[in-house]
Each structure stands twice: as C-alpha cells, then as structure tokens.
Amino acid sequence: MTSSASVSYVALSGGVGGAKLALGLCDVLEDPGRLTVVANTGDDFEHLGLKVCPDIDTLTYTLAGLANSETGWGRAGESGAFMEALGALGGETWFFLGDKDLAMHVERSRRLRAGESLSAVTSELRARFGVRAHIVPMSDDPVPTIVETEEGPLAFQHYFVRERCRPRVLGFRHEGAAQARPSAGFLDALAAPDLGAVIICPSNPYISIDPILAVPGVRAALTACEAPVVAISPIIGGQAVKGPTAKMMAERGVAPSAAAIAEHYAGLIDGFVLDEADRDAAAVIAATGVVVEVTATMMTARADKQALARAVLAFAERIGAAG
Ligand code: FO1
C-alpha cells in the first residue's frame, strides 16, 4: 500500500493503456476511493441506436477485473450471439458488441433517455461492478472526435475500427468542445484541497488526452491546481505499446519519441515519466524545466502496473514536496 489515505488523486485516461495504470493505482492506494479517473469521451458514439462509451467501459471492466485481457476492451468470456444474429439479418457488424457488453449499452442508453446524466449513469454502473475508484466522464456534453484524413473527415470509430486506422491523418477536431463544460465530478476532484497529483496516463495524446484538454476550463484548472501534473509516456523506444500513437505522430510530421510526447504537454506538466529504453532523452526534457523520472513503464503483468503506479505516486510526492 502506498500513500496516505487522506490524499486524493486525479488520473486522465483513454482506454486500454490508461486503464492498466488506473488498475495499478487502485491496487497500491490504501483507499482506491481517493482516485478519480477522468475518462475521454471523444470516442463515444451512437451505434445501433445505443450510446457506446468505449473508454468509460474499458476503465469500468478493467477496474472490476472483468476486461478481456487479449483485446484490452470488452469483457472476458464474452459471446457473440447477438452479432451473429445481426449479421444474418444484414445488420452492421463492423463494431463488435459482445452479448454481455451489450447489456451495458442498453442500460446506459435507457437511463440517458430517462434524463440521467452520463456522470450519474457512469457512477451508478461502476458501483454495481464493485469498482471503488470514481470514474467520471470528461464532460456530460458530447464532444465527439472527428479524424481529418486524406480521404475526408471520419467519425472516430469509423476511422479507428471500421477503417482500422488506415487513412492518413491530417488532424483532429473535437466537435462541440466550445459549448461543452467539464463534468462536475472532474472539476470537484481537481479542486479538492487534499489533491496529491494529476496523472496523465500513458494514453494516446491526440485521441485520448487532447479531447479532455479541449473541454473549456480544463487547461486553466490544471494550470491553477497546486498539485503536480505528471504525464507518463505512451511511447517506448519510438514505438507505441498498443494502438496508432506512433503512426499518428509520424503522419503529423512528429518523430515518435518520448521527448515529443513531453513537448506535446509543454506548459501543462510539472513531471514526466519515461521508460528506461528512452533514458537518453531525459536530459533534453529536463532542460525544458520539467522534472524527469526514468523507470520501467511497460505494463504487462499486474506487478508491472503496481510498480509503475508506485513509482508515479512517489515521483509526484517528491515534486510536490520540492515545489
Ligand atoms: N475495437 C476494435 O478494434 N474493434 C471492435 O469491434 C471494437 C468494439 C468495441 C466495443 C465496445 C467497446 O467498449 C470498445 C470496442 N473497441 C473495439 C475498442 C474501441 O473502439 C477503442 O479501443 C477505443 O475507442 C480507443 O480507445
């Protein structure tokens, strides 16, 4: 167990990579209820008449110990009878909704139609799964990510799943961001007097973290908060652990590296954690005034997630004590 039970933490997260660190944090915190995980909702979409929130669900299933360990998304021990029956009717099957997972989308959609906020539904459902950490959407307002590609604009899941990230990326738009407000749970967690750190998980900066930062007021709240803001690199040795981060960076003319990730968050972060494989980049990043920690960041086994969580918490505590 790490850290005093009286300190609270905020983690900004996308799906699979962020959820791994969130799980490690829950394991090592004396009270996981002191952790608020802010989920990217830029990936959310209406599909088959249902509201699907992939990053919220990946976090919920991972923290509940129910995630599919092969894909990182969806549930373990899942069946596909619904998809098979839908396909036989000529329905859309490019986005796989497992039978158990389907219940999540049906129930969430019912509650939203009945007038509950996404925050309320998310909180209620994660509690039903026995998850003690708070999972809050970045906003209760829709802020769908649009991927600008050489083939035209694509809704996020059309780019990511249907097109398998194939089209060359030109940029990203966070539709509706200007009118969106951060969720109350997000702002309250940032304003907590006992906040120990804001942790930017090793998620894709463009499609997982930037949508959160695009919500008006979030950057200002992060800059104003006294607790250190610490990011963990999702790039190890020039490669993304999972997903299209490195491909997207290259297509945007940025050489994929831990240093480029640190630069992406310039002005926002106090500390940056990078892998031992990228030790050579530490001095360059430190020269920008950011405090740097080099450690093992690959999270394969449960013990790796816990070790990284411990390292991040200790690092943040050191920065907080020095500042
Ligand atoms: N990712 C895929 O690559 N293919 C799928 O069919 C798919 C279905 C799916 C269903 C529910 C869910 O919560 C996530 C799902 N994902 C699927 C993952 C998801 O599209 C991405 O992981 C995230 O949006 C990126 O963080």
Side-chain angles (χ1 to χ4, degrees):
M1 297 291 165
T2 306
S3 281
S4 134
S6 64
V7 180
S8 65
Y9 297 95
V10 170
L12 311 187
S13 177
V16 181
K20 287 184 184 178
L21 181 58
L23 181 61
L25 288 165
C26 286
D27 280 351
V28 304
L29 286 172
E30 205 175 307
D31 177 6
R34 307 294 290 155
L35 173 67
T36 297
V37 187
V38 180
N40 165 44
T41 56
D43 297 12
D44 296 8
F45 73 137
E46 287 278 331
H47 187 56
L48 308 177
L50 301 171
K51 172 87 165 178
V52 180
C53 303
D55 289 353
I56 287 176
D57 291 351
T58 296
L59 284 161
T60 305
Y61 295 148
T62 301
L63 299 187
L66 296 172
N68 179 326
S69 57
E70 243 164 73
T71 56
W73 52 266
R75 288 183 61 161
E78 190 55 286
S79 52
F82 167 69
M83 279 282 112
E84 206 180 300
L86 185 64
L89 296 174
E92 276 187 64
T93 56
W94 59 271
F95 193 81
F96 182 83
L97 294 179
D99 296 333
K100 291 182 198 163
D101 185 36
L102 183 60
M104 187 79 143
H105 313 305
V106 169
E107 179 56 11
R108 171 169 44 227
S109 304
R110 182 192 71 77
R111 288 172 185 249
L112 291 172
R113 273 196 310 274
E116 285 185 49
S117 67
L118 182 60
S119 289
V121 178
T122 303
S123 175
E124 160 73 15
L125 296 179
R126 65 96 197 161
R128 289 213 171 235
F129 280 102
V131 174
R132 288 171 62 204
H134 301 275
I135 300 173
V136 302
M138 65 193 202
S139 176
D140 284 316
D141 307 311
V143 186
T145 298
I146 306 296
V147 186
E148 300 286 1
T149 77
E150 268 185 355
E151 299 170 18
L154 286 171
F156 180 77
Q157 296 297 346
H158 287 180
Y159 162 80
F160 196 90
V161 176
R162 198 188 66 195
E163 302 299 326
R164 296 165 196 267
C165 307
R166 181 193 43 80
R168 200 180 161 82
V169 169
L170 303 175
F172 303 91
R173 250 186 315 120
H174 310 293
E175 212 168 69
Q179 295 80 43
R181 282 157 306 153
S183 66
F186 184 6
L187 289 180
D188 288 350
L190 285 181
D194 58 4
L195 183 66
V198 177
I199 298 158
I200 301 181
C201 289
S203 299
N204 184 313
Y206 301 124
I207 57 174
S208 298
I209 303 299
D210 283 357
I212 303 177
L213 301 177
V215 180
V218 170
R219 274 184 184 272
L222 288 174
T223 314
C225 93
E226 301 219 335
V229 179
V230 172
I232 299 96
S233 177
I235 295 283
I236 301 179
Q239 309 266 325
V241 176
K242 189 177 191 288
T245 310
K247 177 180 182 282
M248 286 175 174
M249 292 177 88
E251 288 172 357
R252 304 198 72 203
V254 180
S257 68
I261 299 286
E263 201 183 322
H264 187 86
Y265 293 132
L268 193 70
I269 55 171
D270 304 295
F272 190 70
V273 180
L274 72 171
D275 194 77
E276 278 150 3
D278 299 309
R279 186 178 288 279
D280 290 355
V284 178
I285 301 168
T288 67
V290 170
V291 189
V292 179
E293 173 80 353
V294 181
T295 190
T297 64
M298 187 70 91
M299 293 179 283
T300 312
R302 187 85 171 233
D304 303 330
K305 300 173 179 99
Q306 296 165 352
L308 180 58
R310 271 193 209 95
V312 168
L313 293 175
F315 177 50
E317 200 174 331
R318 269 202 328 273
I319 298 177

